[in-house]
Amino acid sequence: MKLLVKAPAKINLSLDVLYKRTDGYHELEMVMTTVDLADRLELELLNDDRIVIHSQTRFVPDDDRNLAYKAAKLLKDRFNIKSGASITIEKNIPVAAGLAGGSSDAAAVLRGMNKLWDLRLTLDELAELGAEIGSDVSFCVYGGTALAKGRGEIITPLPPPPNCWVVLAKPAIGVSTAEVYEHLNLNGVIHPNTKAMVDAIYQGDYHGMCANLSNVLESVTFKYFPKVKHLKDDMKRFGADAVLMSGSGPTVFALVQHDSRMQRLYNGLRGYCHQVYAVRLLGKRNEFS
């Protein structure tokens, strides 16, 4: 039996770090939403007791370092599943880009294998399991738009944001999330107005959403990777309504409402940046089918 599952990318409309916790993690407050750029996973039951990862993409591990593998293994171990799983990942989301591609793959495996192994777990139960795998996995189990707190595992659903184009651009560099958090200095940092962002989404206020895009991690990534700052400046110059780095970077995204401006942005960036995507906001939560 086979099952095809989509794993959409996420962007942070706001990302705030409140303080460093005693467990070594940072206390976060983020507004996240999914976009119409997705990996596609084909899941298949195996008779023998093993998990196999197939991917044609470089930098995607095919062993227990892969979050999709971890998700299947967690379900197998927790519920004493004796059959195996074959997981084929078609990567469309750039790797190590601040778009939660690996986390979304893991969430897709949780949802899909829940169905194939007939575990009958709710999305809430799957999201709780996802928190054991990685900080963004819980959100990716639900998808849509949400306020995320804690390490990212405390999820409050929000309505879909005002519809618009999202132009994503990833420069040809890698950024370590762990190193960005390690170099983050919260003294003097300007924190996002998370409440204003949430209010703008509830009110369907596109301009309010644009005005409150904010990410405290930019202060670190821009310092060590000035190319990311230059990319953000270029996107503003090309006519974006608002621009922000997603996650710890290096992907930067622009919001635009008009097709002509989206095309201008996309064409301008394609001149020197190979990974550029023009997509729509998804906004709505995943559903069980």
Side-chain angles (χ1 to χ4, degrees), residues 234-243 253-256 261 265:
D234 284 348
M235 293 171 96
K236 288 178 181 174
R237 189 164 49 83
F238 290 145
D241 294 331
V243 187
F253 69 88
L255 303 183
V256 283
R261 194 171 289 185
L265 253 169

Side-chain angles (χ1 to χ4, degrees), residues 94-143:
V95 177
L99 299 173
S103 296
S104 193
D105 291 348
V109 169
L110 289 175
R111 294 195 310 270
M113 295 313 301
N114 177 54
K115 190 170 185 177
L116 287 181
W117 280 328
D118 196 27
L119 299 175
R120 304 184 186 185
L121 301 171
T122 65
L123 278 181
D124 290 343
E125 289 170 324
L126 291 175
E128 197 172 321
L129 289 167
E132 298 180 34
I133 301 167
S135 296
D136 288 333
V137 179
S138 297
F139 166 76
C140 292
V141 165
Y142 295 115

Side-chain angles (χ1 to χ4, degrees), residues 10-16 29-33 98-99 136 197 213-215 244-248 253:
K10 66 85 191 168
I11 55 173
N12 296 88
L13 298 176
S14 72
L15 193 164
D16 197 6
E29 190 173 72
M30 306 178 287
V31 176
M32 300 192 283
T33 192
L99 299 173
D136 288 333
M197 174 60 77
L213 287 186
S214 185
N215 181 348
L244 193 69
M245 183 182 80
S246 187
S248 57
F253 69 88

Side-chain angles (χ1 to χ4, degrees), residues 238-284:
F238 290 145
D241 294 331
V243 187
L244 193 69
M245 183 182 80
S246 187
S248 57
T251 299
V252 180
F253 69 88
L255 303 183
V256 283
Q257 282 190 308
H258 301 296
D259 293 2
S260 58
R261 194 171 289 185
M262 175 276 290
Q263 202 63 54
R264 180 185 170 194
L265 253 169
Y266 180 82
N267 292 339
L269 293 165
R270 286 286 292 173
Y272 65 95
C273 190
H274 293 302
Q275 291 183 290
V276 183
Y277 310 86
V279 297
R280 288 286 191 175
L281 294 171
L282 285 178
K284 292 185 179 179

Side-chain angles (χ1 to χ4, degrees), residues 74-119:
L74 178 60
L75 287 178
K76 264 179 66 63
D77 291 350
R78 192 64 50 88
F79 298 99
N80 198 28
I81 305 295
K82 297 305 181 187
S83 62
S86 170
I87 302 167
T88 302
I89 304 173
E90 178 193 321
K91 287 297 291 183
N92 297 305
I93 303 171
V95 177
L99 299 173
S103 296
S104 193
D105 291 348
V109 169
L110 289 175
R111 294 195 310 270
M113 295 313 301
N114 177 54
K115 190 170 185 177
L116 287 181
W117 280 328
D118 196 27
L119 299 175

